Amino acid sequence: MKKKRFYYAVVSFMRKDNDRVWNKGSVTVMNDSNSALFPLMETIKQVGEKYSDIANLATLQIDNCIEISKEDYNAFSERLKKLDEEEKEG
């Protein structure tokens, strides 16, 4: 049986528009392999999906990564959904 592991990562990247040199973002990642290693490629994919409009992905660096609980993972996902909805309304 594969164990699901959840991670929170803080990333930095240069912006496409050069408005600011660096930007920070955060993502949560789920990994269901038996590996104890951080899912690097899944993180890059998540950043690409979430920040594709502003990020120069060739400059991506992962600043921090911690394993989190499933509850924290779900709470963070819900928070992002709520922020996205508020942004669309505002």
Side-chain angles (χ1 to χ4, degrees):
M1 184 174 161
K2 292 182 178 181
K3 178 183 176 186
K4 290 185 180 180
R5 301 178 81 135
F6 302 91
Y7 299 90
Y8 172 81
V10 177
V11 297
S12 295
F13 48 82
M14 293 188 76
R15 294 176 58 99
K16 287 180 181 178
D17 60 10
N18 293 324
D19 183 33
R20 279 192 244 139
V21 178
W22 287 98
N23 200 46
K24 287 210 181 265
S26 57
V27 293
T28 53
V29 181
M30 190 267 296
N31 183 9
D32 62 358
S33 72
N34 288 328
S35 173
L37 300 175
F38 172 70
L40 179 64
M41 293 311 294
E42 186 62 29
T43 300
I44 293 169
K45 180 180 159 188
Q46 290 272 350
V47 171
E49 290 171 1
K50 184 174 179 185
Y51 297 106
S52 63
D53 55 335
I54 63 169
N56 177 349
L57 296 177
T59 64
L60 177 67
Q61 71 181 42
I62 299 172
D63 298 328
N64 192 351
C65 171
I66 57 172
E67 190 169 356
I68 59 175
S69 69
K70 181 179 181 179
E71 292 79 13
D72 286 337
Y73 176 84
N74 291 336
F76 188 80
S77 296
E78 288 299 316
R79 179 177 178 269
L80 289 180
K81 285 179 191 173
K82 182 179 177 183
L83 290 173
D84 285 343
E85 289 172 2
E86 288 175 359
E87 187 175 300
K88 288 176 185 176
E89 291 174 0

